[in-house]
Amino acid sequence: MEFRILGPLEAVDGGSPVAVGGPKPRALLAALLLRPGAVVSTDRLVTAVWGATPPRDAIGALRAYVSRLRVALPGERLRWQAPGYALDVAEGELDATAFTQLLGLARERATVADHQRAVDLFDAALALWRGDALVEFDAADIDADGQLARLADLRLSAIQERAEAMLALGRGREVVADLTGLVDHHPDREALSALLMRALYASDRQADALAVYRALRHRLVEELGVEPSDATREVHRKVLEQDPELAPADRAPPSNLPRRGTVLVGRDRAVAQVAGALQTAPLVTLVGVGGVGKTRLAGEVAGRELHRFSDGAWLCELAPLTDGGSVAHAVAVALRLQQRHGATIEQTVVEYLAHRSLLLVLDNCEHVLDAAARLAVSVVAHCPGVVVLATSREPLGVAGEQIWPVPPLPLPAATTLFVQRARATRPDFDPDREPSGTIAEICLRLDGLPLGIELAAARTRAMSAAEIASRLDDGHLLAHGPAPR
Ligand SMILES: Nc1ncnc2c1ncn2[C@@H]1O[C@H](COP(=O)(O)OP(=O)(O)OP(=O)(O)O)[C@@H](O)[C@H]1O
Ligand SMILES: [Mg+2]
């Protein structure tokens, strides 16, 4: 059974409407539904049904309507309890209760700044409204204690808080029309005007935002003799000063890309070129020897291109896998997916990606090459909005793959990297105090490979550069150094 009061009164059983009877039993039902499960006194119910002019035997007539409702509504839900009647409504049967529950969940998300989820929940809550609550009745008769006003107020708050969340998402432009309509209907709600000002400002309509303030202030001063509140004046001041706080930039899409503690050295051109390749090819593989910087380059490119993918950029590390069978599983974990019942993990991943705009980074494919290639092929085939960026010591070798060989660092960048890393272990490291050419020699002997350079530089904590150079052929030198990411 479903009862709907957020609009005209409706009672629905198994999808079809329940005939409750004429206006009088409907008014009785409406009054009971406004206080679900609570006893409503017969006096109040009489007023709900007949208003201020009840007939002589109102109590008897009321009883007849109660019997009629009992027949119409399945189950023993309409019970007598002095001094009146109560209608029992189970969990999920009344739209108004569902509305307040969804609103509560939306507010919870909004307080933890999960604005997107908050907007979704506000939308679900507001979708339950089909018009003004119980519009066909006289509120003064059926609603002695202001439940309808309370519901209308919550609805307005929901729209307002949804707009707040949209503003936080950088989507102020999309709420201007809604807010304009609301301000017209509720000119006294200052908070709505303040929100509209912010939404207009966020849509590059500063002059319109100021006009809203002028209209609001005019009304308040003329009609009530008061100035706008501090909060509204603050918004006005920020509009005048073009305070950047007012128009948050679009939020970055989600991602699990790690934050790097070190700067990227000497790869500006490479980053731009790989980013360019991703615009044209659905699968780009960064190929190169171990330690040349493939993973690092992929991470930088993904961070730079993140804004192009509304569903974000996701790094999936395949290095820890021991066999190819778990590639799809690793991708699902990176994307935080649960395997769909009745589907393989690979199907689950591909179905999920089919309608996303997303950059998938498959890192270190070399030891699970076949499985990674298979997954990449089906993602490319079925997910038009997904771009795959792979790193691997060997190409995946599939159709449509754009191979991008990662070269070693050129000497100037390699020495810069060495000095930076040396200073990370020894802040007073001064390259000019080392014999000239020693650092360059170390970098050359390490073939310009960033991993080797990092390990060698870490040794400056205990050795001079000359000593490091002389011991490069010593297998232990680079074995234990830390490899800062
Ligand atoms: N251009 C760079 N600037 C600064 N640090 C770098 C650069 N390139 C690589 N590094 C660092 O060098 C180390 C090795 O790089 P990375 O892990 O990207 O190599 P890789 O090619 O992915 O190696 P593997 O084949 O073993 O996975 C990392 O610590 C990385 O942060
Ligand atoms: Mg790597």
Side-chain angles (χ1 to χ4, degrees), residues 202-218:
S203 321
D204 303 318
R205 292 170 59 185
Q206 192 182 352
D208 292 335
L210 294 173
V212 169
Y213 183 77
R214 273 197 305 278
L216 170 74
R217 177 162 186 271
H218 181 77

Side-chain angles (χ1 to χ4, degrees), residues 270-271 273-287 294 297-298 301 308-309 359-363 365 376 380 386-392 394-406:
V271 170
Q273 285 174 3
V274 176
L278 290 177
Q279 310 234 1
T280 51
L283 166 61
V284 175
T285 307
L286 305 184
V287 177
K294 303 177 293 296
L297 180 56
V301 172
R308 288 209 294 123
F309 301 92
L359 176 62
L360 182 63
V361 183
L362 297 180
D363 192 29
C365 295
V380 167
V386 176
V387 175
V388 180
L389 176 59
T391 83
S392 179
E394 307 285 333
L396 300 191
V398 298
E401 177 182 31
Q402 170 72 56
I403 295 168
W404 207 94
V406 179

Side-chain angles (χ1 to χ4, degrees), residues 264-265 267 290-296 364 393 421 450 454 484:
L264 183 78
V265 177
R267 293 283 198 210
V292 73
K294 303 177 293 296
T295 297
R296 183 67 200 254
N364 284 70
R393 296 184 191 175
R421 292 295 192 275
E454 281 185 338

Side-chain angles (χ1 to χ4, degrees), residues 21-331:
K24 290 195 164 64
R26 288 173 61 83
L28 172 61
L29 178 60
L32 289 165
L33 283 174
L34 279 175
R35 321 225 65 218
V39 176
V40 185
S41 72
T42 43
D43 284 356
R44 277 203 189 170
L45 293 173
V46 166
T47 307
V49 176
W50 288 281
T53 51
R56 192 126 15 98
D57 184 22
I59 299 292
L62 184 70
R63 235 179 257 138
Y65 289 138
V66 167
S67 312
R68 228 193 266 175
L69 273 188
R70 282 191 171 133
V71 174
L73 306 175
E76 312 246 309
R77 55 172 77 233
L78 180 47
R79 55 189 167 82
W80 160 259
Q81 186 182 331
Y85 293 91
L87 183 68
D88 291 325
V89 175
E91 175 86 27
E93 283 189 321
L94 182 65
D95 59 354
T97 314
F99 169 72
T100 46
Q101 281 170 353
L102 285 166
L103 181 58
L105 292 174
R107 286 176 165 168
E108 262 173 35
R109 296 329 299 167
T111 39
V112 296
D114 184 358
H115 301 297
Q116 184 54 59
R117 186 90 183 102
V119 167
D120 293 344
L121 287 160
F122 281 126
D123 284 342
L126 288 165
L128 294 171
W129 286 78
R130 298 164 292 118
D132 289 336
L134 300 175
V135 271
E136 70 271 51
F137 302 101
D138 186 336
D141 292 343
I142 59 164
D143 180 25
D145 48 10
Q147 294 297 329
L148 285 173
R150 191 184 68 89
L151 282 170
D153 213 57
L154 283 177
R155 181 191 194 186
L156 196 55
S157 301
I159 300 174
Q160 192 171 322
E161 289 164 41
R162 175 187 185 275
E164 290 268 8
M166 289 287 278
L167 274 168
L169 286 168
R171 295 172 62 186
R173 201 179 289 272
E174 295 167 54
V175 294
V176 166
D178 271 3
L179 287 174
T180 307
L182 281 182
V183 167
D184 288 347
H185 277 92
H186 306 274
D188 324 326
R189 276 224 179 191
E190 249 193 87
L192 282 175
S193 292
L195 258 181
L196 176 57
M197 287 166 65
R198 288 168 52 196
L200 285 166
Y201 182 84
S203 321
D204 303 318
R205 292 170 59 185
Q206 192 182 352
D208 292 335
L210 294 173
V212 169
Y213 183 77
R214 273 197 305 278
L216 170 74
R217 177 162 186 271
H218 181 77
R219 215 168 36 240
L220 290 174
V221 172
E222 288 291 302
E223 291 171 15
L224 305 172
V226 297
E227 288 288 331
S229 69
D230 286 351
T232 313
R233 289 214 304 272
E234 176 78 0
V235 174
H236 179 236
R237 183 187 62 74
K238 286 183 176 169
V239 171
L240 286 173
E241 292 173 3
Q242 310 200 338
D243 191 323
E245 239 179 64
L246 270 188
D250 284 358
R251 290 271 227 80
S255 93
N256 67 343
L257 299 173
R259 187 164 160 237
R260 299 285 180 179
T262 58
V263 280
L264 183 78
V265 177
R267 293 283 198 210
D268 290 353
R269 285 252 307 279
V271 170
Q273 285 174 3
V274 176
L278 290 177
Q279 310 234 1
T280 51
L283 166 61
V284 175
T285 307
L286 305 184
V287 177
V289 295
V292 73
K294 303 177 293 296
T295 297
R296 183 67 200 254
L297 180 56
E300 295 288 335
V301 172
R304 184 183 127 147
E305 294 302 286
L306 177 60
H307 67 278
R308 288 209 294 123
F309 301 92
S310 57
D311 296 303
W314 300 90
L315 171 70
C316 178
E317 303 204 34
L318 303 181
L321 302 189
T322 46
D323 76 293
S326 41
V327 168
H329 188 260
V331 173

